[in-house]
Amino acid sequence: MRQNKEKLSNQAVQSYKIKSQLIRKLRTRFATYGYEQVHTPAFEDYDTYASIQKTVNKDEMIKVIDRSGKVLVLRPDGTIPITRLTALDREINGSEQRLFYIFNVYGEQNSNGTNKESTQAGVELFGNKRPEADAEVIALAVHTLKEIGFDNFKLEVGHAGFFKELVDQANLAENELQQLQELIQSKNLAEMEPFLKQLQIRDELQEALYAIPLLYGNPQAVLEETKAIIKNERMQEVLNNLKDVIEVLTDYDLLEHLTLNLGLINNMHYYTGVIFQGFVENIGKPVLMGGRYDQLAEQFGKAMPAIGFAYKVDVVLEALKQHQLIKDDNNPPLQIYYVPEERRNAFSAAKLLREQGYAVITKPFAKNAQQAGILFQSNGRVIVNGNEQQVETNEELLNLAELATGGV
Amino acid sequence: MEKLTIALSKGRPAKHTIETLEAADMQFIDFHEKSRKLVFYNVDESIKLIFVKAVDVPTYVERGAADIGIVGKDNILESRAEVYELLDLGIGKCKFSVAGFPNYSIDANRPLTVATKYPNVAEKHFSRKGQEIETVKLNGSVELAPLIGLADVIVDIVETGNTLKENGLTVLEDIDDISTRLIVNKASFATKATEVRSFIDQLNNALERTP
């Protein structure tokens, strides 16, 4: 019974440790690209959120009522609060801002009520709408994916404008659009054909929509294929934009990790340009998602182009577990035992070692117990892992600690 | 070459699917219907077949335990799995339908009681129409439910309609066409693109050859 309980708490420690290691890795890498961390409150005003168009489904937000009867919402995503923060800052006037955040977001994603809280780690680059900005953010996504330890992963890149332009010409009813979107997202060609046939749209438009799911694969090849279904100037612009971004990415040397997917449709409707999501082998849902959203800040009264992405930290952890990429580097704390008359010496040694970064636990010495660590025995003798050692100076103590633990 | 894992459902559809795969030049020598083995390899071991329960196939594929699955549309719809659905094998054709007593008309002003093995399918269908429902999840003999007053209507797979007729029921409306589909894990489609695509092309060619 007792053992069971101990094991449980160890698991909690272990899983938190893995999560914080991952977060530390992301934080460090984001910082080396010049991004700075910000934080926003978990509670947001419901009315502000509800008034933002093209965003999170209101039914999926978790609402709270405060003492005065005001309705609050637990932030359902990171991008909107960070955008508002940046848009409302008067000091920032069109200058570039590189920000990142690591915090929890909340929502009713699952019908069975689990996973209401999940951690996101994301970056946002404001004030730059050039393809170089798109490429920088995508390169950062690839860099971090590699660093986390995945070797077989792909970043699927698409464009929010592509599907939108095509579908705008089709004049579909809301439920037809929804159905078409689902068919494209699941690349369901078998059902798309009859579905498109019964819509009252031109043949060439039908063909173009039917082609979308398979506009997928090697960037150069897909760009070439896509030329054939360009229908107007706006779509040509979309294609040119994608081409420019791919060209910049070529110089980052990461084309092997990129797949062009023009059937990519993100359910966050604020995206306006390049969109992308990261897949790692065998994990059927993306570990990261992002894209360009040049019009979101306007809803907070400032025109400000922006692009960003966010990791779903919990999905990454699941993937790490499945890929067996979790290293067991569980260094137990150094144990310092003492006989009563040596207690003072033991405490001062422990303090010194803690200041040097060692994890130390002090305990009174008990005979007949398994005791690896440092023992402050009577008459000033010091025993490390069973062998008596000399300790005169602090330096010698540090050497012993290293001997006992194998370093900090 | 990366290995591909394909999940198939046990039973009648398996035999049919294996025949299709063999027509596509993928031979599974040690497979025979009566075998109790659950894992088979093709000749060069580039493909691993695993046999699982039909309802579990979409889950295996969504969670990456298999790259590809071959399974009925009924199970895909009910599981709500996020997967690519790339091919219709055109076998095992039937329909999801709403059935009830002839002349039964649905009252939009009160929740409809629906007995079904497929609560997700029923909910999606009726919520699209704005009809509130209460589902009664049953695991078999669904046709009985309206007869004994357990439900107003049923949502079920209809092949010939004979079972309905014998129980005095009739199809009130059709929901979706069902047939065997090929589904693909979204990550496998990206990370094993060459293997997945060539498997699908091979299968597709074989399907086009057979009338």
Side-chain angles (χ1 to χ4, degrees), chain B residues 3-155:
Chain B
K3 264 190 191 146
L4 285 183
T5 303
I6 322 272
L8 293 183
S9 54
K10 288 185 254 184
R12 196 164 45 129
K15 190 177 161 239
H16 211 121
T17 314
I18 295 264
E19 279 168 12
T20 315
L21 290 176
E22 294 194 331
D25 288 332
M26 290 174 262
Q27 312 294 333
F28 296 86
I29 298 167
D30 50 352
F31 174 82
H32 56 91
E33 264 175 283
K34 299 236 168 74
S35 170
R36 287 175 180 228
K37 263 173 74 172
L38 297 174
V39 181
F40 296 93
Y41 290 91
N42 67 338
V43 180
D44 64 0
E45 298 207 345
S46 60
I47 296 170
K48 177 179 171 186
L49 280 189
I50 57 173
F51 282 91
V52 302
K53 241 181 131 168
V55 286
D56 294 333
V57 172
T59 314
Y60 272 71
V61 175
E62 184 182 33
R63 318 248 343 170
D67 303 298
I68 294 176
I70 296 175
V71 66
K73 177 78 177 174
D74 48 333
N75 291 307
I76 304 171
L77 283 171
E78 182 59 20
S79 72
R80 293 178 173 165
E82 285 250 354
V83 292
Y84 290 136
E85 189 183 316
L86 285 159
L87 217 56
D88 184 346
L89 274 64
I91 48 180
K93 282 189 184 164
C94 50
K95 269 184 175 149
F96 261 132
S97 302
V98 182
F101 291 118
N103 308 324
Y104 181 84
S105 81
I106 293 169
D107 180 356
N109 292 318
R110 68 175 185 86
L112 185 73
T113 318
V114 182
T116 183
K117 273 197 260 185
Y118 304 91
N120 288 337
V121 173
E123 255 155 51
K124 187 171 177 198
H125 172 69
F126 285 109
S127 89
R128 218 185 298 178
K129 300 173 43 145
Q131 170 73 44
E132 239 186 282
I133 64 164
E134 207 177 292
T135 50
V136 179
K137 155 101 189 177
L138 298 176
N139 293 305
S141 305
V142 183
E143 297 81 6
L144 200 57
L147 306 183
I148 56 172
L150 188 61
D152 301 322
V153 296
I154 63 171
V155 163

Side-chain angles (χ1 to χ4, degrees), chain B residues 12 92-97 99 143 156-167 169-171 174 178:
Chain B
R12 196 164 45 129
K93 282 189 184 164
C94 50
K95 269 184 175 149
F96 261 132
S97 302
E143 297 81 6
D156 206 4
I157 294 177
V158 178
E159 231 164 314
T160 58
N162 285 342
T163 323
L164 290 178
K165 209 186 281 172
E166 280 172 31
N167 289 292
L169 302 178
T170 181
V171 169
D174 287 332
I178 297 171

Side-chain angles (χ1 to χ4, degrees), chain A residues 183 188-199 206 210:
Chain A
L183 290 172
N188 191 338
L189 294 173
E191 282 174 38
M192 237 175 116
E193 207 177 340
F195 176 81
L196 289 172
K197 280 230 170 78
Q198 50 94 33
L199 293 175
Q206 274 190 32
Y210 187 71

